[in-house]
Amino acid sequence: MQFDLIRELGYKALDSRLKRISDRMSHDVRRFYKEMGIDVEPNWYLVFMLLQKEGEIPITAIAEPLGYTHPSVAVIVKKMADKGYLLVRKDRTDKRQQLVSLSDKALAMLPQLEAVWRSCEKAILKMLNKDLAILHHLDHIDEALEKSSFHNRFKQEYLKSKGK
């Protein structure tokens, strides 16, 4: 096996390790979609699922439960709408707000997408050997970062090391 600095660094490169795993998985999902002739991006999955569950909602109601920024959701929504998967219209009562819903094209594709997603979920579960402990660790990290940003945490440690 080749030298793997990220793996060798262990917890010190946690962000890089998580990013690398995420990138690998997203790349492979994108590749599978392409092989199947599905013109969808991997990061659209959560938007599809949320809109399937909630129906028509404002962009802010997409950003909040996903923990994404409003601008990043706006970019995803635009790309999905450009491909014909979403309908976007101005709210009649608040013209500043855009309401988003799944298009007929998206609704027609949902059975195929759901089959793909189930297969993906099964593959993930097998990779984890059905041990979901990692999710508890990720929950703990999420909660800790909600209480205090990583910026604040490492700045405190840095200042302690400098005797301030």
Side-chain angles (χ1 to χ4, degrees), residues 94-107:
D94 183 352
K95 300 288 184 207
R96 297 169 297 165
Q97 200 161 188
Q98 291 187 314
L99 298 175
V100 181
S101 61
L102 293 174
S103 69
D104 289 342
K105 177 181 177 179
L107 293 170

Side-chain angles (χ1 to χ4, degrees), residues 52-67:
Q52 182 184 21
K53 181 180 179 207
E54 299 294 327
E56 185 178 61
I57 57 175
I59 288 180
T60 53
I62 297 172
E64 194 173 309
L66 300 183

Side-chain angles (χ1 to χ4, degrees), residues 137-152:
H137 295 293
L138 293 173
D139 288 344
H140 176 76
I141 292 168
D142 266 339
E143 290 164 11
L145 291 173
E146 282 179 22
K147 289 178 185 165
S148 179
S149 73
F150 190 66
H151 171 268
N152 289 341

Side-chain angles (χ1 to χ4, degrees), residues 25-63:
M25 292 174 73
S26 290
H27 171 77
D28 285 347
V29 170
R30 185 176 289 109
R31 190 170 126 209
F32 180 80
Y33 282 156
K34 195 173 231 175
E35 286 173 7
M36 300 300 293
I38 300 171
D39 191 19
V40 169
E41 288 295 318
N43 64 337
W44 297 357
Y45 156 78
L46 296 172
V47 175
F48 273 113
M49 290 185 71
L50 185 62
L51 291 173
Q52 182 184 21
K53 181 180 179 207
E54 299 294 327
E56 185 178 61
I57 57 175
I59 288 180
T60 53
I62 297 172

Side-chain angles (χ1 to χ4, degrees), residues 63-81:
E64 194 173 309
L66 300 183
Y68 292 176
T69 64
H70 183 280
S72 68
V73 170
V75 168
I76 292 170
V77 164
K78 179 170 179 5
K79 287 180 182 177
M80 291 179 75

